[in-house]
């Protein structure tokens, strides 16, 4: 259901993570966002993150913004944010 990993923080917050490894120039689309959101709901997670070594399409970003505006905790981490995540500057 679009979830590759479920993380639990020290505060017991569950985060559904979907990882997308794509070739250079290929962007992650809205389907990945929908799957991560549905997977988070299915596995009773508090939040969802989609992580990629690429970038996201504009429709994927727009869909995420709508989910956030309606109260859902979902994050997109692209190739730029991935470096920050690995360095400990970005949180899931």
């Amino acid at each position: 259901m679009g979830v590759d990993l479920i993380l639990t923080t020290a505060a017991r917050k569950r985060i559904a993570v979907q990882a997308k490894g794509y070739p250079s120039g290929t962007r992650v689309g809205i389907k990945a966002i929908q799957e991560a959101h549905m997977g988070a709901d299915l596995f009773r997670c508090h939040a969802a993150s989609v992580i990629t070594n690429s970038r996201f399409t504009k429709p994927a970003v727009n869909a995420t913004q709508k989910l956030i505006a309606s109260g859902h905790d979902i994050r997109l981490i692209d190739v730029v944010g991935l470096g920050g995540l690995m360095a400990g500057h970005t949180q899931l």
Side-chain angles (χ1 to χ4, degrees):
M1 186 52 73
V3 176
D4 296 311
L5 182 67
I6 297 175
L7 304 175
T8 303
T9 68
R12 308 291 296 159
K13 180 179 178 182
R14 291 169 49 92
I15 304 168
V17 179
Q18 183 180 48
K20 291 292 186 184
Y22 284 179
S24 180
T26 305
R27 294 179 178 254
V28 178
I30 192 170
K31 182 179 178 198
I33 305 335
Q34 292 168 334
E35 290 176 352
H37 173 63
M38 290 171 54
D41 187 49
L42 178 68
F43 294 106
R44 293 184 229 149
C45 295
H46 302 95
S49 293
V50 182
I51 302 171
T52 184
N53 63 332
S54 184
R55 302 238 180 220
F56 294 95
T57 63
K58 185 143 182 84
V61 172
N62 291 342
T64 302
Q65 290 171 342
K66 287 179 183 178
L67 286 169
I68 292 169
S70 65
H72 299 281
D73 187 356
I74 185 163
R75 297 186 185 160
L76 303 182
I77 300 173
D78 66 5
V79 65
V80 175
L82 190 56
L85 181 65
M86 292 170 49
H89 303 298
T90 302
Q91 292 185 348
L92 290 175

